[in-house]
Amino acid sequence: YHEMTFGWLAGELACRISGQTFARFFGEAVKAPLGLKDTFFGLPSSEEQRVAQLAAFSGVAQPKSAQWMNLREAHAAVMPAFNIITTAPDLTRFYDALLSGGHVGDRQWLSESTVKEATSAQAEGIDLNDQARVRYGLGVALYSGIESKFGPRRDDAVFGHNGLDIGTSWGDPRLGLSL
């Protein structure tokens, strides 16, 4: 798994199949149906003042990532699976849709079988960087042991992501909770 490679490949497939730019495809397929008001690939300059500045901290494999991700150019770029800019409420809304089997209010956004496939293990093994056991669904990380970024012992069905090790978000189907 490599977020940049994965993002460029998946993003290019979306563009070629839909005939749209990635930002437009994401806007129509994800942002609009979920009602995500504060989520961007390619942040408009009018929203720049709302973006929190990142600070490098101990334990980050690449501290220069924080410096680079603070640049306006990085915010304005469209890099699928790498530089989405969002808010906690929008991210929670996304995970809530997955927890509800693809439902958004009274509408079906994704089929239940698609959500089940996306949140089930598709790849697992040992991360060669830190020797930790990892499990991935389709675009989400899955709970993979006691030393999880999703907190203390969780059910194997917990899914989420840790976005550049800056912030972790997840959904817990057993608890019906997204964070």
Side-chain angles (χ1 to χ4, degrees), residues 84-95:
I84 193 167
I85 294 177
T86 190
T87 60
D90 274 11
L91 201 52
T92 299
R93 190 167 176 85
F94 172 78
Y95 282 109

Side-chain angles (χ1 to χ4, degrees), residues 64-127:
K64 289 189 178 184
S65 294
Q67 290 175 325
W68 183 81
M69 288 302 294
N70 285 329
L71 297 175
R72 169 69 192 134
E73 293 83 356
H75 299 164
V78 176
M79 295 180 283
F82 185 72
N83 76 327
I84 193 167
I85 294 177
T86 190
T87 60
D90 274 11
L91 201 52
T92 299
R93 190 167 176 85
F94 172 78
Y95 282 109
D96 283 347
L98 296 178
L99 287 174
S100 70
H103 289 89
V104 178
D106 60 351
R107 294 172 318 184
Q108 188 74 38
W109 171 55
L110 295 174
S111 70
E112 290 186 22
S113 63
T114 296
V115 172
K116 183 176 171 110
E117 185 175 9
T119 59
S120 297
Q122 304 294 325
E124 53 189 297
I126 301 299
D127 184 325

Side-chain angles (χ1 to χ4, degrees), residues 4-73:
M4 289 185 77
T5 303
F6 170 81
W8 288 120
L9 294 173
E12 187 63 20
L13 283 172
C15 293
R16 292 199 182 200
I17 291 168
S18 70
Q20 301 173 314
T21 65
F22 183 78
R24 184 174 186 93
F25 171 80
F26 178 81
E28 291 180 9
V30 180
K31 187 175 175 174
L34 295 181
L36 307 179
K37 305 284 187 227
D38 296 312
T39 299
F40 305 94
F41 276 106
L43 183 75
S45 60
S46 62
E47 299 293 323
E48 187 67 32
Q49 76 283 355
R50 297 181 60 207
V51 178
Q53 293 294 297
L54 305 177
F57 55 92
S58 177
V60 175
Q62 297 179 2
K64 289 189 178 184
S65 294
Q67 290 175 325
W68 183 81
M69 288 302 294
N70 285 329
L71 297 175
R72 169 69 192 134
E73 293 83 356

